[in-house]
Amino acid sequence: MIRFRIDVADAHAHQFEVSATVPAPAPEQRLSLPVWIPGSYLVREFARHLHGLEAAQGGKPVALEQLDKTTWLARCSGRGALTLRWRVYAFDTSVRCAYLDGQRGFFNGTGVFLRVEGREAEPHALKIGTLPRGWSVATAMRAVQVDARGRGDYEAAGYDELVDHPVELGTFWRGHFKAHGVPHEFVVAGALPGFDGERLLADSRRICEEQIALWHGETVAGKLKVRKPPFERYVFLLNATDDGYGGLEHRASTALIAPRRDLPRRGQPNGAAGNAQSDGYVQLLGLISHEYFHTWNVKRLKPRPFTAYDYTRENYTRLLWFFEGFTSYYDDLVLVRAGLIDRTRYLRLVAKTLNQVLGTPGRQLQSVAQASFDAWGKYYRPDENTVNATVSYYTKGALVGLCLDLALRRDGRGATLDAVMRALWERSGAAKPAGGPGVGGIEEDDVRAVLREIGGRSFDRELDAWVHGTADLPVAELLKSVGAAAKEDAPAPAQRLGARLAEGAGAIKLQSVLRASAAERAGLAAGDELIAVNGWRVKRAEDLMPVGTFDAPVELTVGRDMRLLTLTLDATTRVAGAVQLSWLADDASDAAQRERRDAWLAAAGR
């Protein structure tokens, strides 16, 4: 068995020390560190943080030759075990890399454990060794022999599994619950003293039970029967910070980061159906829901190229609109089905997603399938022109999922997107007992075939237009079928201007200038500071409308590269405002609309 050990070498210098023992190495044994982490589609060059690599065999040094930025060759003699030692600099607070200071440690295996090439399928062991006094360990990796704080020996079936179990280290809060009989653990680092852990556990449990029932539930004789999910235990690892947000999915856990102010606090009212919850806490629940849904959708049911990861390069797929977008569709839908938000608040979340897409000129240039393929070079490398050149496969993909679900339901054949997802799960092989991560690959043709099978007709026309085209989606039309109405608000100042603005320290700066907008025609550029409109000083976005009104051309004073520019802005051309969605009153909708609405938003088994 290939054995790794990791120790906190110097917390204040942010240094992990890692060692490995490789039995019976090849005469020329290649070793490499991944350049990316599955779930985050960017080459991150983890090897830049690795240093001091040494090798020995039988107590004698072994020559190491670096072959490229992330690969080394060890020239071994005989079959004696090869021992390796190196250090990793860890000071990245994101969920994708590694972090270490005097208060907390965290790591993903892709950033710290060298891959012994040719031996990836063999069992791998991990010993978590020296830790600062009082620190504990949290991970979903299988424990073999550990002490009360989790320090000790762990095992994984292979390298893929080893690096798919992030590890949290420190003095964190820990809570437990069961969802349909499966143990779940929630770890929170950095929470404020008034943090309401019991409420977080209760709300997370409702999310987990709803999702397990969605994937594995079956109503028999009016009762919901739920089969076992594809994991024995699940762990949430949440790092609460002053300002940060994100998550990364793993096979039996997720790493999350969120502002600590968004955590529930003791004494905070809950309200009917969670209506008293802050927007920040609802966003956190949506993040929890999103990453948990990935346990099925992308970790097991996955694009076919992801069934065998290539850690040395980009792994391309045109299906992120399905795996990220549909997951984004379900994350908030699960909240209303689980009773954590009401249907009015859910509709506001749908409107937010819709307006994000409609406010992106790039949607008219790039299809969501192409955006999926371009993730490595565009979505994960945003700049001031990203909004004009691409569309998010998260947000537009979520709207594609919404449209498909409502179209299936409107057809009246009893079909739903829930049924499509379950059928793809079964069809792909991910549902088989042996079908863990690495099994369950699908292509778009599989999605089309299952839609035809479940929906009773072809959905090729819709997928061609919605996934491979650039026209706007028929969201408002399909929402009518469930009794929801759309109306357009008057455009906000930034929409009239045609720019994305950033405010702070009494200044307005342009982050992006939208394609074909009044701002672009006036010659404004990203990075410009708006100083005055028609001679009047402006410090906030709301200052723009009372001063200029934009009903006639106005004179802008702009700061750029230490110079003052005077530009003429003509924003009199009509532009669209934000879309607001609302439910029709019962006397303004028909019984079929209400029946479809209630079935759509109902919990699994109801």
Side-chain angles (χ1 to χ4, degrees):
M1 184 178 291
I2 296 170
R3 297 184 178 275
F4 290 89
R5 176 181 173 123
I6 189 164
D7 298 270
V8 172
D10 189 338
H12 298 311
H14 320 297
Q15 301 278 333
F16 283 113
E17 183 166 282
V18 190
S19 59
T21 302
V22 183
E28 294 190 340
Q29 181 63 63
R30 289 171 60 100
L31 309 154
S32 60
L33 200 65
V35 302
W36 71 292
I37 182 169
S40 183
Y41 307 106
L42 178 68
V43 171
R44 297 189 179 276
E45 314 290 14
F46 296 123
R48 75 189 191 276
H49 296 308
L50 185 152
H51 61 95
L53 178 61
E54 298 176 348
Q57 195 176 23
K60 297 181 180 180
V62 170
L64 288 168
E65 179 186 355
Q66 187 164 0
L67 303 179
D68 58 34
K69 60 187 176 182
T70 192
T71 309
W72 292 262
L73 180 70
R75 290 188 167 83
C76 303
S77 175
R79 304 293 284 170
L82 173 68
T83 59
L84 302 150
R85 188 179 301 274
W86 63 94
R87 285 199 173 195
V88 173
Y89 176 74
F91 201 57
D92 186 324
T93 58
S94 79
V95 296
R96 299 174 292 266
C97 303
Y99 182 84
L100 180 63
D101 67 7
Q103 286 70 51
R104 170 182 178 264
F106 171 82
F107 64 84
N108 287 290
T110 44
V112 297
F113 298 133
L114 286 168
R115 184 167 57 98
V116 182
E117 296 190 7
R119 307 278 292 276
E120 294 91 342
E122 297 178 20
H124 286 55
L126 170 63
K127 176 181 283 293
I128 297 179
T130 306
L131 298 177
R133 176 180 249 174
W135 279 26
S136 296
V137 178
T139 181
M141 196 180 305
R142 188 173 70 86
V144 177
Q145 186 173 2
V146 299
D147 63 18
R149 293 186 178 276
R151 187 178 61 184
D153 298 323
Y154 295 82
E155 285 186 3
Y159 184 81
D160 280 352
E161 183 180 336
L162 175 75
V163 301
D164 205 13
H165 290 301
V167 177
E168 179 74 26
L169 308 169
T171 55
F172 41 73
W173 177 91
R174 191 195 311 248
H176 301 85
F177 63 88
K178 286 188 176 181
H180 290 300
V182 177
H184 288 62
E185 181 177 331
F186 213 120
V187 167
V188 182
L192 294 170
F195 161 58
D196 189 348
E198 293 307 311
R199 180 174 170 193
L200 180 64
L201 292 177
D203 291 347
S204 298
R205 178 176 181 264
R206 292 165 75 171
I207 290 169
C208 296
E209 291 201 330
E210 181 61 32
Q211 292 197 19
I212 292 172
L214 186 156
W215 286 99
H216 305 292
E218 183 180 7
T219 303
V220 179
K223 291 186 177 181
L224 177 66
K225 294 186 178 294
V226 179
R227 300 188 306 278
K228 189 172 178 285
F231 46 86
E232 299 292 333
R233 172 174 165 264
Y234 193 91
V235 180
F236 294 94
L237 304 173
L238 171 59
N239 180 28
T241 65
D242 182 57
D243 189 19
Y245 180 79
L248 190 62
E249 67 275 5
H250 298 276
R251 66 183 63 197
S253 62
T254 180
L256 309 167
I257 185 169
R260 56 177 62 92
R261 63 182 174 273
D262 291 346
L263 293 174
R265 297 185 297 277
R266 289 191 294 272
Q268 191 178 44
N270 188 18
N275 288 330
Q277 294 170 164
S278 69
D279 288 342
Y281 184 49
V282 170
Q283 183 182 43
L284 173 58
L285 293 177
L287 176 65
I288 291 167
S289 180
H290 183 97
E291 301 305 335
Y292 193 70
F293 198 85
H294 272 318
T295 311
W296 293 268
N297 196 39
V298 91
K299 292 310 297 183
R300 290 168 173 84
L301 176 65
K302 58 178 60 178
R304 193 156 293 141
F306 288 8
T307 56
Y309 294 124
D310 183 346
Y311 291 106
T312 69
R313 58 183 295 276
E314 297 89 342
N315 290 222
Y316 290 100
T317 176
R318 287 183 167 84
L319 284 176
L320 293 181
W321 58 270
F322 179 90
F323 289 101
E324 290 292 355
F326 282 25
T327 299
S328 296
Y329 167 58
Y330 274 103
D331 58 24
D332 288 333
L333 181 61
V334 164
L335 299 188
V336 70
R337 288 180 173 181
L340 293 168
I341 59 173
D342 65 10
R343 68 190 190 201
T344 299
R345 193 163 197 169
Y346 173 64
L347 210 54
R348 290 206 304 268
L349 294 173
V350 173
K352 179 181 177 181
T353 301
L354 176 59
N355 285 312
Q356 286 173 337
V357 174
L358 293 176
T360 304
R363 77 189 193 280
Q364 299 169 325
L365 294 179
Q366 187 184 52
S367 72
V368 75
Q370 188 62 36
S372 300
F373 193 82
D374 286 343
W376 296 88
K378 291 189 176 181
Y379 185 82
Y380 276 87
R381 297 182 185 275
D383 59 28
E384 70 283 349
N385 192 51
T386 295
V387 66
N388 295 315
T390 188
V391 67
S392 168
Y393 49 78
Y394 284 91
T395 52
K396 187 175 179 182
L399 295 181
V400 172
L402 170 73
C403 288
L404 278 174
D405 200 2
L406 296 184
L408 286 161
R409 294 171 185 273
R410 187 179 63 177
D411 282 357
R413 297 184 175 95
T416 67
L417 191 60
D418 299 358
V420 169
M421 300 302 285
R422 287 191 292 266
L424 281 166
W425 174 259
E426 297 289 339
R427 179 189 182 107
S428 70
K432 298 176 182 176
V439 178
I442 63 169
E443 300 285 1
E444 187 177 316
D445 286 347
D446 297 297
V447 178
R448 290 174 181 259
V450 170
L451 278 167
R452 187 180 304 111
E453 173 189 322
I454 298 295
R457 67 173 179 86
S458 171
F459 281 80
D460 288 352
R461 179 176 59 83
E462 287 87 345
L463 290 180
D464 289 346
W466 300 348
V467 174
H468 296 279
T470 57
D472 286 336
L473 301 174
V475 175
E477 173 196 336
L478 287 163
L479 281 170
K480 285 181 185 177
S481 69
V482 290
K487 71 170 185 177
E488 185 183 307
D489 284 346
Q495 291 170 314
R496 295 284 300 272
L497 184 63
R500 292 190 175 179
L501 307 177
E503 300 178 45
I508 307 172
K509 285 201 169 184
L510 277 69
Q511 292 180 314
S512 298
V513 173
L514 304 188
R515 181 170 51 83
S517 67
E520 185 182 69
R521 292 191 296 272
L524 287 163
D528 286 354
E529 179 183 349
L530 287 180
I531 297 172
V533 178
N534 285 341
W536 289 88
R537 184 79 167 94
V538 290
K539 296 182 178 181
R540 297 175 303 277
E542 56 262 33
D543 294 340
L544 294 172
M545 198 60 89
V547 173
T549 73
F550 293 152
D551 291 336
V554 296
E555 185 178 272
L556 300 180
T557 304
V558 174
R560 181 189 301 169
D561 190 27
M562 300 300 291
R563 291 180 294 174
L564 291 179
L565 305 178
T566 301
L567 303 175
T568 300
L569 175 80
D570 185 348
T572 57
T573 303
R574 185 191 178 281
V575 296
V579 174
Q580 297 292 331
L581 301 175
S582 60
W583 296 108
L584 296 172
D586 284 352
D587 59 2
S589 60
D590 59 40
Q593 289 173 314
R594 294 192 297 273
E595 183 178 345
R596 280 192 292 266
R597 177 200 66 197
D598 293 345
W600 174 40
L601 302 181
R606 292 184 191 169

